[in-house]
Amino acid sequence: MNAEFFGMLGAAICMGIAAIGSAIGIGIAGQGAIGAWKRCYVNNKPAPFILTVFAGAPLTQTIYGFLLMTIKLNSLGAENPGKALGLGLCSGLAMCFSAIAQGKAGAAGSDALGETGKGFAQYIMVVGLCESVALFAMVFSMIA
C-alpha cells in the first residue's frame, strides 16, 4: 500500500462514520416521532407532521461528512495522507456522535411536542445545538 491510500482511507472514513451516526440518529428520532404520533392517534388528537423535522435532522451530518471528504480530504490525501487519515477519523467521529445526540434530542422533542402541542421553537433550538458540533468539526477540519 502506498501512502496515498491512507489519505483516501481518511476521506472514506469521514464520510462513512458520519453516515453511520446519521442513520443511528434518524432511527432514534424516528422512534420518538412514531411513538408521539401513536399517542396522538390513541387519544384522538391530530398528529403533528412537523415531527418529521426532528426525525430527519440527523441526516445533515452525512452531508457534512460528504462535503469534508470531497472538498478537503480528497486533495489533502495526496499531499499529507497521515493528516487526512487523522482528520477524517476524528471529524467523522465528531459528526457521528453529534448525529446520535441530535437524534436523542429530536426524540425528546417529538415526545414533548406530541404531548403538549407546544414548544417547537425551544425543542428545535436544542436539536440545533447538537448540530453545531458537526458544523464546527467540518469547518475546523477544513481550515486545519
Short mmCIF file of all heavy atoms in Angstrom, two decimals, residues 27-92:
data_model
loop_
_atom_site.label_atom_id
_atom_site.label_comp_id
_atom_site.label_asym_id
_atom_site.label_seq_id
_atom_site.Cartn_x
_atom_site.Cartn_y
_atom_site.Cartn_z
N GLY A 27 -32.76 6.90 13.32
CA GLY A 27 -33.51 5.81 13.93
C GLY A 27 -34.05 6.17 15.30
O GLY A 27 -35.21 5.90 15.62
N ILE A 28 -33.23 6.82 16.10
CA ILE A 28 -33.65 7.23 17.45
C ILE A 28 -34.75 8.29 17.36
O ILE A 28 -35.79 8.17 18.01
CB ILE A 28 -32.44 7.76 18.26
CG1 ILE A 28 -31.45 6.62 18.54
CG2 ILE A 28 -32.91 8.41 19.56
CD1 ILE A 28 -30.10 7.10 19.05
N ALA A 29 -34.51 9.32 16.57
CA ALA A 29 -35.50 10.40 16.44
C ALA A 29 -36.79 9.89 15.79
O ALA A 29 -37.89 10.30 16.18
CB ALA A 29 -34.92 11.56 15.63
N GLY A 30 -36.64 9.00 14.82
CA GLY A 30 -37.82 8.42 14.17
C GLY A 30 -38.68 7.62 15.14
O GLY A 30 -39.91 7.67 15.08
N GLN A 31 -38.04 6.88 16.03
CA GLN A 31 -38.79 6.13 17.04
C GLN A 31 -39.59 7.08 17.93
O GLN A 31 -40.74 6.81 18.28
CB GLN A 31 -37.85 5.29 17.90
CG GLN A 31 -37.27 4.11 17.17
CD GLN A 31 -36.19 3.39 17.99
OE1 GLN A 31 -35.71 3.91 19.00
NE2 GLN A 31 -35.83 2.21 17.55
N GLY A 32 -38.96 8.20 18.28
CA GLY A 32 -39.67 9.19 19.10
C GLY A 32 -40.86 9.79 18.38
O GLY A 32 -41.94 9.96 18.96
N ALA A 33 -40.68 10.09 17.10
CA ALA A 33 -41.78 10.68 16.31
C ALA A 33 -42.93 9.68 16.15
O ALA A 33 -44.10 10.03 16.33
CB ALA A 33 -41.27 11.13 14.95
N ILE A 34 -42.59 8.44 15.84
CA ILE A 34 -43.63 7.42 15.66
C ILE A 34 -44.39 7.19 16.97
O ILE A 34 -45.62 7.07 16.98
CB ILE A 34 -43.02 6.12 15.11
CG1 ILE A 34 -42.58 6.35 13.66
CG2 ILE A 34 -44.00 4.96 15.21
CD1 ILE A 34 -41.72 5.24 13.08
N GLY A 35 -43.65 7.15 18.07
CA GLY A 35 -44.31 6.99 19.37
C GLY A 35 -45.24 8.15 19.69
O GLY A 35 -46.35 7.95 20.21
N ALA A 36 -44.81 9.36 19.38
CA ALA A 36 -45.65 10.53 19.64
C ALA A 36 -46.89 10.51 18.75
O ALA A 36 -48.00 10.83 19.22
CB ALA A 36 -44.85 11.81 19.40
N TRP A 37 -46.73 10.13 17.48
CA TRP A 37 -47.89 10.03 16.59
C TRP A 37 -48.87 8.98 17.10
O TRP A 37 -50.07 9.19 17.08
CB TRP A 37 -47.45 9.71 15.17
CG TRP A 37 -46.85 10.86 14.44
CD1 TRP A 37 -47.20 12.18 14.53
CD2 TRP A 37 -45.79 10.80 13.49
NE1 TRP A 37 -46.41 12.94 13.70
CE2 TRP A 37 -45.55 12.12 13.05
CE3 TRP A 37 -45.01 9.77 12.96
CZ2 TRP A 37 -44.58 12.43 12.09
CZ3 TRP A 37 -44.05 10.08 12.02
CH2 TRP A 37 -43.83 11.40 11.59
N LYS A 38 -48.34 7.85 17.55
CA LYS A 38 -49.21 6.78 18.05
C LYS A 38 -50.05 7.29 19.22
O LYS A 38 -51.26 7.06 19.29
CB LYS A 38 -48.38 5.58 18.48
CG LYS A 38 -49.25 4.43 19.03
CD LYS A 38 -48.43 3.40 19.73
CE LYS A 38 -48.13 3.93 21.10
NZ LYS A 38 -47.67 3.01 22.08
N ARG A 39 -49.39 7.99 20.15
CA ARG A 39 -50.13 8.53 21.29
C ARG A 39 -51.20 9.52 20.85
O ARG A 39 -52.30 9.57 21.42
CB ARG A 39 -49.18 9.19 22.29
CG ARG A 39 -48.67 8.23 23.33
CD ARG A 39 -48.03 8.90 24.54
NE ARG A 39 -47.29 10.12 24.28
CZ ARG A 39 -46.05 10.18 23.80
NH1 ARG A 39 -45.40 9.07 23.50
NH2 ARG A 39 -45.45 11.32 23.61
N CYS A 40 -50.88 10.32 19.84
CA CYS A 40 -51.88 11.26 19.32
C CYS A 40 -53.08 10.49 18.76
O CYS A 40 -54.23 10.85 19.03
CB CYS A 40 -51.28 12.15 18.24
SG CYS A 40 -50.13 13.39 18.87
N TYR A 41 -52.83 9.46 17.98
CA TYR A 41 -53.92 8.68 17.39
C TYR A 41 -54.76 7.99 18.47
O TYR A 41 -55.99 7.98 18.40
CB TYR A 41 -53.39 7.64 16.40
CG TYR A 41 -52.76 8.25 15.17
CD1 TYR A 41 -51.55 7.77 14.69
CD2 TYR A 41 -53.36 9.31 14.49
CE1 TYR A 41 -50.96 8.32 13.56
CE2 TYR A 41 -52.77 9.87 13.36
CZ TYR A 41 -51.58 9.37 12.90
OH TYR A 41 -51.00 9.92 11.79
N VAL A 42 -54.09 7.43 19.47
CA VAL A 42 -54.80 6.76 20.56
C VAL A 42 -55.70 7.74 21.30
O VAL A 42 -56.81 7.40 21.72
CB VAL A 42 -53.79 6.08 21.52
CG1 VAL A 42 -54.45 5.67 22.83
CG2 VAL A 42 -53.15 4.89 20.85
N ASN A 43 -55.25 8.97 21.46
CA ASN A 43 -56.01 9.99 22.17
C ASN A 43 -56.90 10.83 21.26
O ASN A 43 -57.43 11.86 21.68
CB ASN A 43 -55.06 10.90 22.95
CG ASN A 43 -54.34 10.15 24.05
OD1 ASN A 43 -54.93 9.32 24.74
ND2 ASN A 43 -53.06 10.43 24.22
N ASN A 44 -57.05 10.40 20.01
CA ASN A 44 -57.87 11.13 19.02
C ASN A 44 -57.47 12.60 18.88
O ASN A 44 -58.32 13.47 18.76
CB ASN A 44 -59.37 11.00 19.36
CG ASN A 44 -59.86 9.60 19.14
OD1 ASN A 44 -59.50 8.95 18.16
ND2 ASN A 44 -60.68 9.11 20.06
N LYS A 45 -56.15 12.83 18.93
CA LYS A 45 -55.60 14.18 18.71
C LYS A 45 -54.97 14.20 17.33
O LYS A 45 -54.51 13.17 16.83
CB LYS A 45 -54.52 14.49 19.76
CG LYS A 45 -55.02 14.67 21.17
CD LYS A 45 -53.92 14.80 22.21
CE LYS A 45 -52.76 15.66 21.80
NZ LYS A 45 -51.72 15.77 22.84
N PRO A 46 -54.88 15.37 16.71
CA PRO A 46 -54.17 15.44 15.42
C PRO A 46 -52.68 15.15 15.62
O PRO A 46 -52.06 15.61 16.58
CB PRO A 46 -54.39 16.88 14.95
CG PRO A 46 -54.95 17.63 16.11
CD PRO A 46 -55.44 16.65 17.12
N ALA A 47 -52.12 14.37 14.71
CA ALA A 47 -50.70 14.01 14.78
C ALA A 47 -49.90 15.07 14.03
O ALA A 47 -50.07 15.25 12.83
CB ALA A 47 -50.47 12.64 14.16
N PRO A 48 -49.01 15.80 14.72
CA PRO A 48 -48.28 16.90 14.06
C PRO A 48 -47.25 16.40 13.05
O PRO A 48 -46.32 15.67 13.39
CB PRO A 48 -47.60 17.64 15.22
CG PRO A 48 -47.71 16.77 16.41
CD PRO A 48 -48.70 15.70 16.14
N PHE A 49 -47.43 16.81 11.81
CA PHE A 49 -46.50 16.43 10.75
C PHE A 49 -45.11 17.01 10.99
O PHE A 49 -44.10 16.45 10.55
CB PHE A 49 -47.04 16.90 9.39
CG PHE A 49 -46.17 16.52 8.23
CD1 PHE A 49 -46.15 15.21 7.77
CD2 PHE A 49 -45.35 17.45 7.60
CE1 PHE A 49 -45.34 14.84 6.70
CE2 PHE A 49 -44.54 17.10 6.55
CZ PHE A 49 -44.54 15.78 6.08
N ILE A 50 -45.02 18.10 11.71
CA ILE A 50 -43.75 18.79 11.96
C ILE A 50 -42.74 17.90 12.68
O ILE A 50 -41.54 18.19 12.68
CB ILE A 50 -44.00 20.11 12.75
CG1 ILE A 50 -42.78 21.04 12.70
CG2 ILE A 50 -44.34 19.84 14.20
CD1 ILE A 50 -42.81 21.99 11.58
N LEU A 51 -43.18 16.80 13.26
CA LEU A 51 -42.25 15.88 13.93
C LEU A 51 -41.25 15.28 12.95
O LEU A 51 -40.19 14.81 13.36
CB LEU A 51 -43.01 14.77 14.66
CG LEU A 51 -43.98 15.21 15.76
CD1 LEU A 51 -44.55 13.99 16.47
CD2 LEU A 51 -43.33 16.15 16.74
N THR A 52 -41.57 15.31 11.66
CA THR A 52 -40.61 14.81 10.67
C THR A 52 -39.33 15.65 10.66
O THR A 52 -38.27 15.15 10.28
CB THR A 52 -41.21 14.78 9.26
OG1 THR A 52 -41.70 16.08 8.94
CG2 THR A 52 -42.33 13.77 9.16
N VAL A 53 -39.43 16.90 11.08
CA VAL A 53 -38.23 17.75 11.19
C VAL A 53 -37.26 17.16 12.21
O VAL A 53 -36.05 17.08 11.96
CB VAL A 53 -38.62 19.20 11.57
CG1 VAL A 53 -37.39 20.03 11.88
CG2 VAL A 53 -39.44 19.84 10.47
N PHE A 54 -37.79 16.73 13.35
CA PHE A 54 -36.94 16.11 14.36
C PHE A 54 -36.35 14.80 13.85
O PHE A 54 -35.18 14.52 14.07
CB PHE A 54 -37.74 15.84 15.64
CG PHE A 54 -38.19 17.08 16.37
CD1 PHE A 54 -39.51 17.24 16.72
CD2 PHE A 54 -37.29 18.07 16.72
CE1 PHE A 54 -39.94 18.37 17.40
CE2 PHE A 54 -37.70 19.20 17.40
CZ PHE A 54 -39.03 19.35 17.75
N ALA A 55 -37.18 14.01 13.18
CA ALA A 55 -36.73 12.70 12.70
C ALA A 55 -35.64 12.83 11.63
O ALA A 55 -34.71 12.03 11.59
CB ALA A 55 -37.91 11.91 12.16
N GLY A 56 -35.72 13.83 10.79
CA GLY A 56 -34.77 13.98 9.69
C GLY A 56 -33.54 14.81 9.99
O GLY A 56 -32.59 14.81 9.21
N ALA A 57 -33.53 15.50 11.11
CA ALA A 57 -32.42 16.42 11.42
C ALA A 57 -31.04 15.75 11.39
O ALA A 57 -30.09 16.34 10.86
CB ALA A 57 -32.67 17.11 12.75
N PRO A 58 -30.86 14.54 11.90
CA PRO A 58 -29.52 13.95 11.91
C PRO A 58 -28.95 13.62 10.52
O PRO A 58 -27.77 13.30 10.40
CB PRO A 58 -29.69 12.67 12.74
CG PRO A 58 -30.88 12.92 13.59
CD PRO A 58 -31.78 13.75 12.75
N LEU A 59 -29.75 13.73 9.50
CA LEU A 59 -29.27 13.44 8.14
C LEU A 59 -28.19 14.42 7.70
O LEU A 59 -27.31 14.07 6.90
CB LEU A 59 -30.44 13.47 7.16
CG LEU A 59 -30.13 13.15 5.71
CD1 LEU A 59 -29.53 11.76 5.58
CD2 LEU A 59 -31.38 13.26 4.87
N THR A 60 -28.21 15.62 8.23
CA THR A 60 -27.26 16.64 7.76
C THR A 60 -25.80 16.27 8.04
O THR A 60 -24.92 16.70 7.31
CB THR A 60 -27.58 18.00 8.41
OG1 THR A 60 -27.59 17.85 9.83
CG2 THR A 60 -28.92 18.53 7.93
N GLN A 61 -25.55 15.46 9.05
CA GLN A 61 -24.17 15.07 9.33
C GLN A 61 -23.58 14.27 8.18
O GLN A 61 -22.38 14.34 7.91
CB GLN A 61 -24.07 14.29 10.65
CG GLN A 61 -24.08 15.17 11.87
CD GLN A 61 -25.46 15.66 12.26
OE1 GLN A 61 -26.42 15.61 11.52
NE2 GLN A 61 -25.57 16.19 13.47
N THR A 62 -24.41 13.52 7.47
CA THR A 62 -23.93 12.82 6.28
C THR A 62 -23.49 13.82 5.22
O THR A 62 -22.46 13.64 4.57
CB THR A 62 -25.02 11.89 5.71
OG1 THR A 62 -25.36 10.93 6.70
CG2 THR A 62 -24.56 11.19 4.46
N ILE A 63 -24.23 14.89 5.08
CA ILE A 63 -23.88 15.94 4.12
C ILE A 63 -22.56 16.59 4.51
O ILE A 63 -21.70 16.81 3.67
CB ILE A 63 -25.01 16.98 4.01
CG1 ILE A 63 -26.28 16.32 3.45
CG2 ILE A 63 -24.58 18.16 3.14
CD1 ILE A 63 -27.52 17.17 3.59
N TYR A 64 -22.39 16.88 5.80
CA TYR A 64 -21.13 17.48 6.25
C TYR A 64 -19.95 16.55 6.02
O TYR A 64 -18.88 16.99 5.62
CB TYR A 64 -21.21 17.88 7.73
CG TYR A 64 -22.33 18.81 8.07
CD1 TYR A 64 -22.96 18.75 9.31
CD2 TYR A 64 -22.79 19.76 7.16
CE1 TYR A 64 -23.99 19.59 9.63
CE2 TYR A 64 -23.84 20.60 7.48
CZ TYR A 64 -24.44 20.52 8.72
OH TYR A 64 -25.47 21.35 9.03
N GLY A 65 -20.15 15.27 6.28
CA GLY A 65 -19.09 14.29 6.02
C GLY A 65 -18.74 14.24 4.55
O GLY A 65 -17.56 14.16 4.18
N PHE A 66 -19.74 14.30 3.70
CA PHE A 66 -19.51 14.29 2.25
C PHE A 66 -18.76 15.55 1.82
O PHE A 66 -17.81 15.47 1.03
CB PHE A 66 -20.84 14.18 1.51
CG PHE A 66 -20.70 14.26 0.03
CD1 PHE A 66 -20.24 13.18 -0.71
CD2 PHE A 66 -21.03 15.43 -0.65
CE1 PHE A 66 -20.09 13.26 -2.08
CE2 PHE A 66 -20.89 15.52 -2.02
CZ PHE A 66 -20.42 14.44 -2.74
N LEU A 67 -19.19 16.69 2.31
CA LEU A 67 -18.52 17.95 1.95
C LEU A 67 -17.06 17.94 2.38
O LEU A 67 -16.17 18.32 1.60
CB LEU A 67 -19.24 19.15 2.57
CG LEU A 67 -20.60 19.49 1.98
CD1 LEU A 67 -21.28 20.58 2.81
CD2 LEU A 67 -20.47 19.91 0.53
N LEU A 68 -16.80 17.53 3.60
CA LEU A 68 -15.43 17.49 4.09
C LEU A 68 -14.61 16.50 3.27
O LEU A 68 -13.47 16.78 2.91
CB LEU A 68 -15.40 17.12 5.57
CG LEU A 68 -14.04 17.10 6.24
CD1 LEU A 68 -13.32 18.43 6.09
CD2 LEU A 68 -14.17 16.74 7.71
N MET A 69 -15.19 15.37 2.95
CA MET A 69 -14.49 14.36 2.17
C MET A 69 -14.11 14.90 0.79
O MET A 69 -12.96 14.77 0.36
CB MET A 69 -15.39 13.13 2.00
CG MET A 69 -14.79 12.04 1.12
SD MET A 69 -15.91 10.65 0.83
CE MET A 69 -17.04 11.37 -0.36
N THR A 70 -15.05 15.53 0.11
CA THR A 70 -14.78 15.96 -1.27
C THR A 70 -13.96 17.25 -1.35
O THR A 70 -13.11 17.38 -2.22
CB THR A 70 -16.09 16.14 -2.06
OG1 THR A 70 -16.93 17.07 -1.37
CG2 THR A 70 -16.81 14.82 -2.22
N ILE A 71 -14.21 18.18 -0.45
CA ILE A 71 -13.54 19.48 -0.53
C ILE A 71 -12.12 19.44 0.03
O ILE A 71 -11.20 19.98 -0.55
CB ILE A 71 -14.38 20.57 0.16
CG1 ILE A 71 -15.68 20.79 -0.61
CG2 ILE A 71 -13.61 21.87 0.28
CD1 ILE A 71 -16.67 21.69 0.09
N LYS A 72 -11.96 18.79 1.16
CA LYS A 72 -10.67 18.86 1.85
C LYS A 72 -9.88 17.57 1.79
O LYS A 72 -8.72 17.55 1.38
CB LYS A 72 -10.92 19.25 3.31
CG LYS A 72 -9.70 19.26 4.20
CD LYS A 72 -8.81 20.43 3.93
CE LYS A 72 -7.69 20.50 4.97
NZ LYS A 72 -6.88 21.67 4.79
N LEU A 73 -10.49 16.49 2.20
CA LEU A 73 -9.72 15.27 2.44
C LEU A 73 -9.23 14.60 1.18
O LEU A 73 -8.14 14.03 1.17
CB LEU A 73 -10.54 14.30 3.29
CG LEU A 73 -10.86 14.79 4.69
CD1 LEU A 73 -11.74 13.81 5.43
CD2 LEU A 73 -9.60 15.08 5.49
N ASN A 74 -9.99 14.65 0.09
CA ASN A 74 -9.52 14.02 -1.15
C ASN A 74 -8.24 14.68 -1.65
O ASN A 74 -7.32 14.01 -2.07
CB ASN A 74 -10.61 14.05 -2.22
CG ASN A 74 -11.63 12.95 -2.04
OD1 ASN A 74 -11.36 11.93 -1.42
ND2 ASN A 74 -12.81 13.16 -2.58
N SER A 75 -8.18 16.00 -1.60
CA SER A 75 -6.97 16.69 -2.07
C SER A 75 -5.84 16.57 -1.05
O SER A 75 -4.67 16.44 -1.41
CB SER A 75 -7.27 18.17 -2.35
OG SER A 75 -7.70 18.81 -1.17
N LEU A 76 -6.18 16.60 0.23
CA LEU A 76 -5.17 16.50 1.27
C LEU A 76 -4.53 15.11 1.31
O LEU A 76 -3.37 14.97 1.65
CB LEU A 76 -5.78 16.82 2.64
CG LEU A 76 -4.85 16.79 3.84
CD1 LEU A 76 -3.76 17.86 3.70
CD2 LEU A 76 -5.65 17.02 5.12
N GLY A 77 -5.31 14.09 0.92
CA GLY A 77 -4.81 12.72 0.96
C GLY A 77 -3.57 12.50 0.14
O GLY A 77 -2.68 11.72 0.53
N ALA A 78 -3.44 13.18 -0.99
CA ALA A 78 -2.25 13.04 -1.82
C ALA A 78 -1.06 13.79 -1.22
O ALA A 78 0.07 13.34 -1.31
CB ALA A 78 -2.55 13.54 -3.23
N GLU A 79 -1.34 14.95 -0.60
CA GLU A 79 -0.27 15.78 -0.04
C GLU A 79 0.22 15.27 1.31
O GLU A 79 1.42 15.22 1.58
CB GLU A 79 -0.77 17.23 0.16
CG GLU A 79 -1.24 17.91 -1.09
CD GLU A 79 -2.01 19.19 -0.74
OE1 GLU A 79 -1.88 19.70 0.39
OE2 GLU A 79 -2.75 19.67 -1.61
N ASN A 80 -0.71 14.96 2.18
CA ASN A 80 -0.39 14.59 3.56
C ASN A 80 -1.35 13.49 4.03
O ASN A 80 -2.33 13.77 4.72
CB ASN A 80 -0.47 15.82 4.46
CG ASN A 80 0.14 15.60 5.82
OD1 ASN A 80 0.25 14.47 6.29
ND2 ASN A 80 0.54 16.68 6.46
N PRO A 81 -1.09 12.27 3.66
CA PRO A 81 -2.04 11.19 3.95
C PRO A 81 -2.27 10.95 5.44
O PRO A 81 -3.39 10.65 5.85
CB PRO A 81 -1.42 9.96 3.29
CG PRO A 81 -0.05 10.33 2.91
CD PRO A 81 0.06 11.80 2.89
N GLY A 82 -1.27 11.12 6.26
CA GLY A 82 -1.44 10.93 7.70
C GLY A 82 -2.40 11.95 8.29
O GLY A 82 -3.26 11.61 9.11
N LYS A 83 -2.25 13.19 7.86
CA LYS A 83 -3.14 14.24 8.33
C LYS A 83 -4.57 13.99 7.85
O LYS A 83 -5.52 14.16 8.61
CB LYS A 83 -2.65 15.60 7.85
CG LYS A 83 -3.44 16.78 8.36
CD LYS A 83 -2.83 18.10 7.91
CE LYS A 83 -3.59 19.29 8.44
NZ LYS A 83 -3.02 20.56 7.99
N ALA A 84 -4.72 13.56 6.61
CA ALA A 84 -6.06 13.28 6.09
C ALA A 84 -6.71 12.13 6.84
O ALA A 84 -7.91 12.17 7.15
CB ALA A 84 -5.98 12.95 4.59
N LEU A 85 -5.94 11.11 7.17
CA LEU A 85 -6.47 9.98 7.92
C LEU A 85 -6.91 10.43 9.31
O LEU A 85 -8.01 10.10 9.77
CB LEU A 85 -5.44 8.85 8.01
CG LEU A 85 -5.86 7.60 8.76
CD1 LEU A 85 -7.09 6.97 8.13
CD2 LEU A 85 -4.71 6.61 8.81
N GLY A 86 -6.06 11.19 9.98
CA GLY A 86 -6.39 11.67 11.32
C GLY A 86 -7.60 12.59 11.32
O GLY A 86 -8.50 12.45 12.16
N LEU A 87 -7.62 13.55 10.39
CA LEU A 87 -8.77 14.46 10.30
C LEU A 87 -10.04 13.71 9.96
O LEU A 87 -11.11 14.00 10.53
CB LEU A 87 -8.52 15.54 9.24
CG LEU A 87 -7.73 16.77 9.65
CD1 LEU A 87 -7.48 17.67 8.45
CD2 LEU A 87 -8.45 17.53 10.73
N GLY A 88 -9.94 12.77 9.04
CA GLY A 88 -11.13 12.02 8.64
C GLY A 88 -11.70 11.22 9.79
O GLY A 88 -12.92 11.21 10.01
N LEU A 89 -10.84 10.55 10.52
CA LEU A 89 -11.30 9.74 11.64
C LEU A 89 -11.91 10.60 12.75
O LEU A 89 -13.03 10.35 13.20
CB LEU A 89 -10.15 8.90 12.19
CG LEU A 89 -10.48 7.99 13.36
CD1 LEU A 89 -11.54 6.98 12.99
CD2 LEU A 89 -9.22 7.29 13.84
N CYS A 90 -11.19 11.62 13.16
CA CYS A 90 -11.67 12.47 14.25
C CYS A 90 -12.92 13.26 13.86
O CYS A 90 -13.88 13.34 14.64
CB CYS A 90 -10.57 13.41 14.71
SG CYS A 90 -9.19 12.54 15.49
N SER A 91 -12.94 13.81 12.67
CA SER A 91 -14.10 14.57 12.22
C SER A 91 -15.31 13.67 12.04
O SER A 91 -16.43 14.04 12.40
CB SER A 91 -13.80 15.29 10.91
OG SER A 91 -12.74 16.18 11.07
N GLY A 92 -15.08 12.50 11.46
CA GLY A 92 -16.17 11.55 11.28
C GLY A 92 -16.80 11.15 12.61
O GLY A 92 -18.02 11.08 12.74
#
